[in-house]
Amino acid sequence: MRIVLIGPPGAGKGTQCQRLLEYLDVPHLSTGEMLRQAVSGGTREGQQAASYMESGQLVPDELIVGMVSQRLMRPDCRAGCLLDGFPRTLRQAATLDEFLERQAMTLDGVIELAVPRDELVRRMLLRKREDDDPEIFSKRIESYQRQTAPLLDYYARQGKLKSIDGLGSAEEIFSRVCEAVEGFVARHDEPEDDSA
Ligand code: AMP
């Protein structure tokens, strides 16, 4: 299974990702995690990414795409993976599609964790983590809406999107996530329609 999980900052993506990883038993491809490692390791990519990350902006597409394609080429990703935090722009999505096609791989489905903006802000205020500076948090929401939300339409047109309600307990949300995955599995197992 190759699945993308999309959601605005504060949607609870981290929690759902962890559960989903256990359920699917596939590698976790988190670009945020890869970038944080690059920053703490002081690599060239990390140095380039740091200022964007600190200010709540997306890092340039070229930097991310290189990192992700290298990771996807590793043998453990052959049978599938959970893409978390990537793609985040239309350009990244198109590049991913081209890459997967060249590698004869497919994306089974995309899950959107949908949470209204008011609720995201309310959660952020409750959480008050160090990296949740309200101004930076708003920037991250803005960049989600401007750059990432258009992907929902992109994947809906490919018939790959399943949007689920991100409100409720972690258990309730996870059962919706599993339902979405089962839908992808069913579609995956359907015989190809060659009548067209
Ligand atoms: P995350 O942990 O996924 O929220 O990512 C943390 C930060 O890393 C983001 O706020 C961005 O600055 C950067 N980042 C992570 N993934 C991407 C991506 N696919 N494209 C651009 N920037 C990214």
Side-chain angles (χ1 to χ4, degrees):
M1 278 264 121
R2 203 164 285 106
I3 291 178
V4 172
L5 193 59
I6 298 186
K13 206 155 54 71
T15 310
Q16 297 303 322
C17 243
Q18 268 178 355
R19 294 182 179 223
L20 192 50
L21 284 168
E22 274 175 37
Y23 181 73
L24 293 173
D25 193 24
V26 291
H28 184 202
L29 203 160
S30 156
T31 43
E33 200 45 55
M34 288 160 85
L35 286 169
R36 280 186 287 278
Q37 273 176 21
V39 171
S40 62
T43 66
R44 194 172 50 87
E45 282 155 339
Q47 286 167 7
Q48 287 171 347
S51 61
Y52 295 97
M53 294 170 75
E54 280 159 19
S55 63
Q57 286 175 281
L58 294 186
V59 311
D61 287 332
E62 305 74 52
L63 202 155
I64 288 286
V65 164
M67 274 178 23
V68 172
S69 18
Q70 277 178 23
R71 180 69 189 89
L72 280 172
M73 294 287 272
R74 299 226 307 249
D76 63 335
C77 283
R78 216 46 244 180
C81 68
L82 178 60
L83 289 152
D84 165 17
F86 178 89
R88 256 175 155 109
T89 65
L90 281 172
R91 200 159 145 231
Q92 290 177 16
T95 312
L96 175 66
D97 277 347
E98 286 161 21
F99 175 86
L100 293 174
E101 199 179 334
R102 276 201 308 275
Q103 302 296 321
M105 292 174 172
T106 50
L107 204 56
D108 294 288
V110 176
I111 300 175
E112 178 205 7
L113 268 186
V115 177
R117 190 193 165 111
D118 291 356
E119 173 64 14
L120 297 174
V121 172
R122 196 186 69 84
R123 289 184 191 179
M124 190 270 298
L125 293 173
L126 280 175
R127 213 165 50 158
K128 274 213 182 281
R129 279 192 342 210
E130 251 174 54
D131 58 344
D132 284 344
D133 176 298
E135 227 170 86
I136 294 177
F137 187 79
S138 303
K139 277 239 176 80
R140 292 174 64 211
I141 295 186
E142 258 165 47
S143 91
Y144 177 82
Q145 277 162 349
R146 199 179 63 249
Q147 294 168 281
T148 308
L151 295 187
L152 302 173
D153 199 37
Y154 176 87
Y155 286 122
R157 273 191 267 133
Q158 292 187 0
K160 295 211 161 140
L161 181 72
K162 179 77 189 145
S163 289
I164 64 164
D165 182 359
L167 297 180
S169 69
E171 283 71 28
E172 283 164 348
I173 300 167
F174 187 60
S175 71
R176 293 175 203 142
V177 169
C178 292
E179 226 173 87
V181 171
E182 294 313 320
F184 300 152
V185 174
R187 217 166 42 203
H188 190 89
D189 293 344
E190 267 171 23
E192 294 256 329
D193 179 7
D194 50 14
S195 59

